[in-house]
């Protein structure tokens, strides 16, 4: 085992997960600013993104083995600020429960980023005028709703240990080391 690569992969995985949480919080701030400008009309304007957000939680929960107990895709008059909701029950060993909670909490950001990438790269170039305008509208609603709520971030942080171990393993296997150019002694050079 290459100890330098392992250390570089571990630090890179930690940086990646911290950036993931910061990215989610930044998107939440952006969403908050836009929602403040739009007032109560925000939920109506971005209902597609809200449904995408909640479906992301549910799909990843199901794919990781959790039970989805209930889904509210869109709540027009949310008194507590929650425009939708997914309730899950994690199942299996503690490691699987932690991964189910972490990954389903981060799902709107992960699937939102993936969907935006696919739409921008493959769908938008083949669309014409009004279809392109509609696609851009959908992309904006997804972007504004792929944020991480405070509860999502707390779930990730509380159950991050196994996600960190998994991420370190993946980074090590694929030789991912963000620090290679910055800290050559840790990069294995």
């Amino acid at each position: 085992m290459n100890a330098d690569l392992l250390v570089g992969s571990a630090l890179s995985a930690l940086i990646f997960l911290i950036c993931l949480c910061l990215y989610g919080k930044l998107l939440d701030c952006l969403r908050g600013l836009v929602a403040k400008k739009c007032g109560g009309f925000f939920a109506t304007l971005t209902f597609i993104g809200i449904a995408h957000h909640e479906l992301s939680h549910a799909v990843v929960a199901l794919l990781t083995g959790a039970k989805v107990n209930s889904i509210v895709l869109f709540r027009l008059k949310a008194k507590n600020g929650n425009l939708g909701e997914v309730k899950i029950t994690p199942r299996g060993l503690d490691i699987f429960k932690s991964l189910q909670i972490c990954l389903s909490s981060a799902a709107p950001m992960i699937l939102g980023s993936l969907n935006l990438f696919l739409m921008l790269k493959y769908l938008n170039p083949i669309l014409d005028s009004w279809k392109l305008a509609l696609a851009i509208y959908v992309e904006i609603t997804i972007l504004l709703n792929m944020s991480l709520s405070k509860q999502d971030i707390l779930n990730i942080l509380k159950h991050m240990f196994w996600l960190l171990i998994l991420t370190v393993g993946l980074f090590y296997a694929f030789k991912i080391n963000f620090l290679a150019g910055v800290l050559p002694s840790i990069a294995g050079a």
Side-chain angles (χ1 to χ4, degrees), residues 89-157:
T89 301
R91 299 189 287 197
L93 301 172
D94 285 345
I95 181 174
F96 296 124
K97 288 179 181 178
S98 289
L99 290 172
Q100 290 163 7
I101 291 168
C102 278
L103 293 173
S104 64
S105 293
M109 203 171 46
I110 296 166
L111 293 184
S113 296
L114 177 63
N115 287 341
L116 287 176
F117 169 77
L118 293 173
M119 289 177 78
L120 291 168
K121 182 160 177 70
Y122 298 107
L123 182 63
N124 288 14
I126 63 169
L127 298 176
D128 59 4
S129 61
W130 71 269
K131 292 175 189 171
L132 180 59
L134 182 61
I136 291 170
Y137 162 72
V138 169
E139 292 158 4
I140 290 169
T141 69
I142 290 172
L143 176 68
L144 290 174
N145 287 286
M146 57 189 242
S147 58
L148 295 181
S149 68
K150 181 179 176 183
Q151 187 59 52
D152 290 334
I153 291 174
L154 289 174
N155 285 341
I156 292 168
L157 294 174

